[in-house]
Amino acid sequence: MAPSEFPFTSKGQSTDQRKKVTVLSIDGGGIRGIIPAVILHELEKHLQKYDGPDARIADYFDIVAGTSTGSILAAMITAPEKRGYNNIFDANVRLRPRLDASQFVGFYENKGKDIFGSPIFHVFDYPKKIKEALQYILCRFTSPINWFEAGMAILTRHGPSPLRSAIKQELQQIGLNETLTKVVIPTFRIRKTKPVIFTSDMTKDYKGKNYEDFRLADVVLASSAAPTFFPPHKIRFKGKEDGFFDGGVSANNPTLAAICEATKTYGNERNFENYLVLSIGTGRVDLSPYRGQGFAEWLFKEIFGKLRFEFLCNTVSDAVELYMSRIFHCNGVSKNYLRIQEYELESQMEIMDDASQRNLFNLKNCGSVLLDKNAKIVNPDTGCVEELSYKYKDALAEFARELVKEKKKTRSSAFSY
């Protein structure tokens, strides 16, 4: 394979020593978060190979975005360690991440069965569901939205306790504004039926009013509260307790949200050559009709049969993927955007809450096998997926090299997170 086939080769690139804005984006997908966890571990191993054993993913990205299960990974990447007794008052001491990427897969393997194992009438969680439902109703008895929130608090497949316990155990009392690099976490505010994108520098709204001091764990739980799977998660937002749903309702692929935040943070920059973006998916099933399948069978089995939260998330992700492909291709810098996604996920692995040992093993293996496959892109004109000549593992290694190069550069802008 000729080096020129790789997307991140230096041939023809600018000699400008200004640092590119580096962005990492991780899709939602429930237990399928194991797939990006495997890829992130591989990325960190490449970074350690090129830049020393202490390299961590958070050191190389200006923005880390994640939705739902992706927000869990984004938080684990950027959550700082505790300050030691000797440096607790020393603001000049640079904190390191609490976790390294080798621990991400273990989180799903160790906690997955607890998180997704509680049935709807779990003896410990059902009273808590009723209590939360009553709180929504009593808050405003005549509001249809409150009754909807109450219903969603009860009619879920899993109880909230295991998920909340697992996330708070990992993130403890870390504030959203304490992350090692800027995080972007989409959620959905039920009362206003509007998306809310939480960021590390979220201190004032556009009117200059102060936001609350959000806890990273609460924001992650809000982004992970998938409808029908988990109850809404409450956050005190603009002076009121509001229920939030999974960010996958509006931005299951948070890459575009991350780019918007990058333009806000680093200036209204329209030159996409100044961006270096890695977007990681959680896999999706090919819904195209297979040979011999009748139209009616395809329509009712594959389309109507999948009109659920997973289908909504897939269509949202596909749209963003097409937009990103068009943005970088039309600006002549498609080499600066790498999307790693399994487009032919086996149907039994698509289920977002299957935490059986067999499925955990299959998903972990899927992430490893994916890296050995030829890379694919979405055609910016047709939206069809097309195969490239190089493998994902080679593209990821080259991307890691570029990240190490970018880390050594300086940004001309005086503003940085």
Side-chain angles (χ1 to χ4, degrees):
M1 184 185 299
S4 59
E5 291 179 302
F6 290 115
F8 306 106
T9 53
S10 58
K11 182 178 178 180
Q13 289 194 17
S14 171
T15 58
D16 193 342
Q17 291 303 303
R18 291 177 300 175
K19 186 182 184 301
K20 291 184 175 69
V21 178
T22 51
V23 176
L24 171 63
S25 173
I26 311 166
D27 288 12
I31 197 65
R32 301 201 313 265
I34 289 182
I35 296 174
V38 169
I39 294 167
L40 289 168
H41 185 202
E42 191 67 21
L43 172 63
E44 191 164 274
K45 287 193 291 186
H46 285 307
L47 294 172
Q48 291 170 348
K49 176 182 176 182
Y50 302 141
D51 206 24
D54 294 330
R56 295 291 182 268
I57 293 173
D59 300 331
Y60 299 86
F61 286 98
D62 299 306
I63 292 177
V64 178
T67 298
S68 192
T69 195
S71 73
I72 296 174
L73 290 168
M76 290 197 291
I77 289 169
T78 60
E81 64 184 354
K82 291 182 179 179
R83 287 186 180 272
Y85 179 79
N86 294 329
N87 58 24
I88 190 169
F89 300 111
D90 189 351
N92 295 321
V93 174
R94 177 172 172 77
L95 297 179
R96 304 299 296 144
R98 288 172 57 86
L99 303 169
D100 61 70
S102 66
Q103 298 170 276
F104 297 166
V105 172
F107 172 84
Y108 290 95
E109 291 177 327
N110 298 329
K111 305 291 186 180
K113 191 65 177 177
D114 293 332
I115 292 172
F116 294 110
S118 300
I120 187 170
F121 293 111
H122 192 283
V123 65
F124 298 112
D125 271 322
Y126 197 63
K128 185 174 291 186
K129 289 181 179 183
I130 295 177
K131 179 182 177 182
E132 291 185 2
L134 289 174
Q135 288 175 342
Y136 283 120
I137 294 172
L138 294 175
C139 178
R140 191 178 176 189
F141 187 80
T142 59
S143 170
I145 290 292
N146 283 48
W147 281 91
F148 171 75
E149 288 178 308
M152 294 307 297
I154 296 177
L155 301 176
T156 57
R157 300 187 201 178
H158 308 287
S161 296
L163 176 62
R164 293 174 184 175
S165 175
I167 297 302
K168 290 181 178 179
Q169 181 181 345
E170 295 294 340
L171 303 179
Q172 298 181 5
Q173 296 298 311
I174 296 171
L176 179 63
N177 61 353
E178 295 181 277
T179 55
L180 296 174
T181 191
K182 182 173 182 176
V183 295
V184 175
I185 300 178
T187 64
F188 191 83
R189 189 182 180 192
I190 303 171
R191 187 186 304 274
K192 297 294 184 181
T193 63
K194 300 291 183 183
V196 174
I197 299 176
F198 287 90
T199 65
S200 300
D201 56 356
M202 193 173 181
T203 56
K204 295 179 182 292
D205 64 14
Y206 73 100
K207 294 181 179 179
K209 295 182 179 179
N210 291 330
Y211 282 113
E212 289 80 356
D213 292 328
F214 303 111
R215 295 295 179 190
L216 182 59
D218 282 324
V219 174
V220 168
L221 286 167
S223 186
S224 304
T228 74
F229 290 89
F230 296 102
H233 186 71
K234 283 187 174 182
I235 296 180
R236 188 163 185 81
F237 188 79
K238 293 192 172 183
K240 296 180 179 179
E241 290 282 340
D242 262 358
F244 285 82
F245 265 158
D246 193 309
V249 172
S250 58
N252 196 57
N253 178 346
T255 312
L256 194 58
I259 293 294
C260 291
E261 285 299 319
T263 59
K264 184 179 79 172
T265 303
Y266 299 102
N268 191 19
E269 179 59 71
R270 302 301 184 194
N271 183 3
F272 285 92
E273 188 175 1
N274 294 335
Y275 291 86
L276 192 62
V277 180
L278 173 61
S279 176
I280 307 176
T282 56
R284 60 158 302 154
V285 174
D286 184 7
L287 293 180
S288 302
Y290 55 80
R291 182 174 295 182
Q293 186 181 32
F295 174 77
E297 179 188 359
W298 170 77
L299 184 66
F300 285 95
K301 181 180 178 181
E302 304 296 341
I303 302 301
F304 293 158
K306 293 181 181 292
L307 286 179
R308 54 183 189 264
F309 186 67
E310 295 99 319
F311 182 82
L312 172 64
C313 290
N314 281 341
T315 54
V316 171
S317 295
D318 289 347
V320 172
E321 194 168 350
L322 176 60
Y323 302 154
M324 296 307 303
S325 181
R326 291 181 69 87
I327 287 173
F328 281 87
H329 179 82
C330 293
N331 283 276
V333 287
S334 56
K335 63 183 181 298
N336 286 11
Y337 170 67
L338 174 61
R339 170 72 169 172
I340 301 180
Q341 172 72 303
E342 174 55 80
Y343 295 97
E344 299 175 352
L345 192 70
E346 295 181 16
S347 58
Q348 63 267 28
M349 288 193 283
E350 184 191 21
I351 302 172
M352 295 173 60
D353 59 346
D354 181 2
S356 64
Q357 288 298 317
R358 179 177 180 179
N359 195 50
L360 292 172
F361 174 82
N362 288 338
L363 288 170
K364 185 177 178 180
N365 185 60
C366 177
S368 301
V369 171
L370 174 60
L371 290 171
D372 284 320
K373 292 184 177 181
N374 278 26
K376 295 180 179 180
I377 61 167
V378 170
N379 185 303
D381 297 319
T382 66
C384 297
V385 178
E386 298 179 355
E387 189 171 290
L388 301 174
S389 59
Y390 52 85
K391 296 185 181 298
Y392 277 125
K393 64 179 180 181
D394 299 322
L396 189 65
E398 288 299 315
F399 195 96
R401 288 182 187 273
E402 288 298 311
L403 288 174
V404 172
K405 291 179 184 177
E406 293 303 319
K407 184 187 174 189
K408 297 175 182 178
K409 295 180 182 179
T410 57
R411 180 170 284 111
S412 59
S413 171
F415 183 92
S416 62
Y417 173 70

